[in-house]
Amino acid sequence: MKGGAVMEPREAYPITYSILGLLAIWGPLSGYDIKRLFDHMLSSMWGAAQSQIYKELRRMREIGWVEMEREEQESRPDRKLYSITAEGLSALRKWQTQPPEVFQLRDEMLLKMLFGSFARSADLAQSLRASIAEHETRLLVYRQNTQAIAGAFPRGDKRYNPYSDENAEDPYFGLVTHFAVEFEKTYLRWLYEALELVESREKPAPSDMGES
Amino acid sequence: MKGGAVMEPREAYPITYSILGLLAIWGPLSGYDIKRLFDHMLSSMWGAAQSQIYKELRRMREIGWVEMEREEQESRPDRKLYSITAEGLSALRKWQTQPPEVFQLRDEMLLKMLFGSFARSADLAQSLRASIAEHETRLLVYRQNTQAIAGAFPRGDKRYNPYSDENAEDPYFGLVTHFAVEFEKTYLRWLYEALELVESREKPAPSDMGES
DNA sequence: CGGGACATGTAACGCGTTACATGATTAA
DNA sequence: TTAATCATGTAACGCGTTACATGTCCCG
């Protein structure tokens, strides 16, 4: 026997803390609610499949970080409402103390450009334009959100509304949104720059039919 | 039977194309070489464990995107040198044509700040300072790399040197590095801003016991 | 004489993704 | 009548990570 220390699995991951945070703010939530919050609030920073959320909630309940209460309904599956426990809150706080792990960008567009010398310029330009369109849209959405957002959740259902008045005062939301906007601006500037470079190489010989 | 269409697994992932790109540029490489290139060049955008690289190379060889030649050595395991094939190059090019998938930041620091209202300000400040230190270092490294880099690979072994003269002319490397620098600058600006916010809440009443 | 570089691998494990399943209600 | 919303789940699968294994050469 060498070490003998059997590594026990980590008990938490970013998605765990995301869910804890959402529960801490918006109180008892169902898996379905959490999925919606992910899609509306965290989509640009952390995705989560519906199936994963349900799985994770079950696991979190087993380790006592959340508790569940069943809300009975007719003609629909019962809502299972999850709340954060004291242990869960303390885990969230502890995580926030720890130094962050090494960050990796993991953006395919960067990889594509890194090996740009192998691609046809027209192909790269196409990818770049698609990327530009997407990020312009994002930027627009962020800006709309940070401004007039009363109508985002038309029913006035505060439970699902990350922009309701009670949260408007939270300076941390604004801070993170501000980063998202600054990031998109930086990224877009670069995309346009990249497109310029690519286009300048696209037609070095405008009407020249014969090549070496 | 409903659909009947059995989904066949994707045949390529970002790591696949990363390896293809590296092979396309730096010609026959061993798994060990590729690991080093990942660590030196792609560490900030795409990590890869050594075991995964070997696994992926085997898979890529099975689908004919790379070919392998054994270089015999005494007193060390033989080097297995991989090269990109015509099929591999065409797969790389095809990938570069396709519009990029939806990008997600996946940075834990952003999550921590998003739920900042639950943490002690001092804890957040600590995390932020650690993050600042790391990103300042990164920025420094990028800048050193883009300037005088002749000595990075002291042996003059061109095979491992991403900064050798023959690649210095590749404008795409410069483009991506430029983004990395701009990103770090934007991120750092935000981190300092966040730190300011957090510190302003750390001691709301310096020597003032009664307020408003 | 211990530690790093060189060089290859195997085994275990889980997060995250994709797909499938069910079924009532409401809106276009 | 078709589709979206509400609301829960299960099953399969693999990338990516962590840990372990082996053995030589070379440097301080």
Side-chain angles (χ1 to χ4, degrees), chain B residues 2 7 30-32 36 50-51 54 58 73 76-80 106 155:
Chain B
K2 281 289 174 61
M7 221 221 352
S30 69
Y32 193 84
R36 292 172 94 237
Q50 175 252 40
S51 67
Y54 285 110
R58 197 159 38 229
Q73 291 191 131
R76 242 188 257 280
D78 294 351
R79 280 167 59 87
K80 292 182 171 180
R106 288 179 177 265
R155 271 185 261 204

Side-chain angles (χ1 to χ4, degrees), chain A residues 90-104:
Chain A
S90 126
L92 181 65
R93 289 218 178 92
K94 190 184 165 196
W95 167 67
Q96 287 173 311
T97 315
Q98 283 150 8
E101 85 304 1
V102 179
F103 175 62
Q104 288 175 11

Side-chain angles (χ1 to χ4, degrees), chain A residues 34-132:
Chain A
I34 291 170
K35 171 61 174 158
R36 292 172 94 236
L37 282 173
F38 260 95
D39 291 346
H40 284 277
M41 298 206 52
L42 300 177
S43 61
S44 62
M45 34 198 307
W46 223 285
Q50 174 252 41
S51 67
Q52 197 195 353
I53 290 171
Y54 285 110
K55 223 195 302 177
E56 187 65 13
L57 281 171
R58 196 157 42 227
R59 203 183 62 84
M60 290 164 78
R61 192 169 164 228
E62 276 162 22
I63 58 178
W65 288 8
V66 298
E67 53 193 12
M68 188 264 282
E69 202 177 357
R70 190 175 291 265
E71 189 186 74
E72 300 199 10
Q73 293 190 131
E74 312 155 358
S75 82
R76 243 189 257 279
D78 294 351
R79 281 167 58 85
K80 292 182 171 181
L81 289 173
Y82 291 88
S83 314
I84 192 170
T85 62
E87 290 78 29
L89 191 57
S90 126
L92 181 65
R93 289 218 178 92
K94 190 184 165 196
W95 167 67
Q96 287 173 311
T97 315
Q98 283 150 8
E101 85 304 1
V102 179
F103 175 62
Q104 288 175 11
L105 266 167
R106 289 180 176 262
D107 176 24
E108 280 198 34
M109 194 67 234
L110 289 174
L111 281 184
K112 287 183 187 175
M113 290 307 295
L114 192 64
F115 305 123
S117 51
F118 298 102
R120 286 180 47 232
S121 296
D123 291 342
L124 283 183
Q126 196 186 14
S127 289
L128 285 170
R129 288 197 196 94
S131 193
I132 284 171

Side-chain angles (χ1 to χ4, degrees), chain B residues 21-194:
Chain B
L22 294 178
L23 287 178
I25 298 180
W26 288 290
L29 293 171
S30 69
Y32 193 84
D33 295 338
I34 291 170
K35 170 61 173 158
R36 292 172 94 237
L37 282 173
F38 260 96
D39 290 347
H40 284 277
M41 298 207 52
L42 300 176
S43 61
S44 62
M45 33 197 307
W46 223 286
Q50 175 252 40
S51 67
Q52 196 195 354
I53 290 171
Y54 285 110
K55 223 194 302 177
E56 186 67 11
L57 281 171
R58 197 159 38 229
R59 203 182 63 82
M60 290 164 78
R61 193 170 161 226
E62 277 162 21
I63 58 177
W65 288 8
V66 298
E67 52 192 13
M68 189 264 281
E69 202 178 355
R70 189 175 292 266
E71 189 187 73
E72 299 199 11
Q73 291 191 131
E74 313 154 359
S75 81
R76 242 188 257 280
D78 294 351
R79 280 167 59 87
K80 292 182 171 180
L81 290 173
Y82 292 88
S83 315
I84 191 169
T85 62
E87 290 80 29
L89 191 58
S90 125
L92 180 66
R93 290 219 178 92
K94 190 183 165 196
W95 167 67
Q96 286 174 311
T97 315
Q98 283 150 8
E101 85 303 1
V102 179
F103 175 62
Q104 288 175 12
L105 266 167
R106 288 179 177 265
D107 177 24
E108 281 198 34
M109 195 66 236
L110 289 174
L111 281 184
K112 287 183 187 177
M113 290 308 295
L114 191 64
F115 305 123
S117 51
F118 300 101
R120 287 180 46 233
S121 295
D123 292 342
L124 282 183
Q126 196 184 17
S127 288
L128 284 169
R129 287 197 197 94
S131 194
I132 284 171
E134 197 198 300
H135 286 274
E136 290 280 16
T137 305
R138 276 192 194 209
L139 187 53
L140 220 105
V141 169
Y142 290 144
R143 282 179 165 153
Q144 283 171 345
N145 282 351
T146 45
Q147 286 172 16
I149 337 161
F153 287 77
R155 271 185 261 204
D157 186 347
K158 238 173 32 175
R159 202 175 41 189
Y160 300 142
N161 191 344
Y163 312 109
S164 72
D165 289 335
E166 68 176 302
N167 306 308
E169 294 143 31
D170 189 327
Y172 296 103
F173 276 67
L175 189 71
V176 174
T177 304
H178 179 237
F179 174 76
V181 168
E182 289 304 309
F183 171 78
E184 292 300 339
K185 279 161 64 183
T186 301
Y187 196 64
L188 278 165
R189 266 198 304 275
W190 178 76
L191 284 173
Y192 282 114
E193 199 183 314

